Amino acid sequence: PRGHLIPGLGYMEALKKEISRHPTITVFEDVLTTRLITSDNRVTGAFVLNIRKGDCFVVEAKATILATGGLGEIYPHSTNAPFGMHGHATGMGYAMAYHAGAALIDMEMVQFTGNQLYPPWLLGNPELLCTMCGGKYINALGDEFIQQPQPRDVIQRSAYKEIKAGRGTGRGGVFIDLRRSPLTSEQI
């Protein structure tokens, strides 16, 4: 989406640059893998749908790497759908691997950021609102309780301590104060 910093953009640019150095790599854009093809207990390719044209085709491969995102969207509130872009953490990669014969382990270990903006339709990333937009984490008393930047786990533990100490919001959270942001509301 225009006007937002999308986490991972730097990784994508570096990956594109590296791929461009290897002419034998074929890049398919705007496609969705629907099923893995197996032979003799090995993945040998995939069925792919071009979502712009509606065409289906087969991609054969000597090796397959699934990089399909997680499954955090199975939860009603999750940061795995950044900026309202649903469909990126649906668990489809797990399902394809399972149907191809993979043994799935530790499925209870789902990683996502523990903070969520409220109301849920509000677009944005809490960490970016603080680090990139000058926001401050404050408790219900208006006190800033952590200095930025900090790793996610430190932010989460600090917010949890504020909430448990009775300084959380009426909805059981903390605030991100953007009143002193150097950016305009349109820029944020």
Side-chain angles (χ1 to χ4, degrees):
R2 276 188 11 220
H4 290 286
L5 172 67
I6 300 175
L9 195 56
Y11 297 117
M12 292 182 342
E13 290 303 320
L15 186 58
K16 283 182 187 177
K17 184 177 178 182
E18 183 62 24
I19 287 172
S20 71
R21 296 178 350 105
H22 301 275
T24 58
I25 296 176
T26 303
V27 176
F28 298 101
E29 296 194 47
D30 301 320
V31 299
L32 176 71
T33 302
T34 60
R35 196 174 88 203
L36 298 175
I37 301 168
T38 59
S39 177
D40 297 324
N41 291 325
R42 289 193 64 241
V43 175
T44 58
F47 290 104
V48 179
L49 168 67
N50 182 314
I51 59 175
R52 296 225 182 256
K53 298 177 184 176
D55 300 338
C56 293
F57 58 97
V58 171
V59 174
E60 294 179 351
K62 293 179 185 175
T64 302
I65 298 172
L66 288 178
T68 58
L71 51 75
E73 288 185 51
I74 65 172
Y75 298 97
H77 303 291
S78 166
T79 55
N80 282 181
F83 311 111
M85 298 185 301
H86 294 281
H88 297 279
T90 61
M92 192 163 176
Y94 295 107
M96 286 189 296
Y98 178 77
H99 289 293
L104 304 181
I105 61 170
D106 297 330
M107 294 300 293
E108 73 278 12
M109 303 296 180
V110 178
Q111 179 187 16
F112 57 88
T113 304
N115 54 14
Q116 177 75 30
L117 294 177
Y118 187 86
W121 50 261
L122 189 63
L123 301 180
N125 179 306
E127 278 91 13
L128 293 179
L129 287 174
C130 290
T131 58
M132 304 297 288
C133 301
K136 308 283 183 198
Y137 283 101
I138 62 172
N139 61 26
L141 304 174
D143 300 325
E144 183 178 357
F145 60 87
I146 188 167
Q147 297 291 316
Q148 292 293 342
Q150 294 291 338
R152 271 191 284 197
D153 63 312
V154 173
I155 295 168
Q156 300 305 306
R157 279 194 301 275
S158 297
Y160 178 76
K161 287 177 186 176
E162 291 297 309
I163 295 163
K164 281 302 193 188
R167 296 183 295 269
T169 68
R171 294 192 179 276
V174 295
F175 295 111
I176 297 176
D177 184 359
L178 293 166
R179 292 176 294 183
R180 292 189 180 88
S181 173
L183 304 176
T184 65
S185 60
E186 289 79 22
Q187 291 172 313
I188 293 172

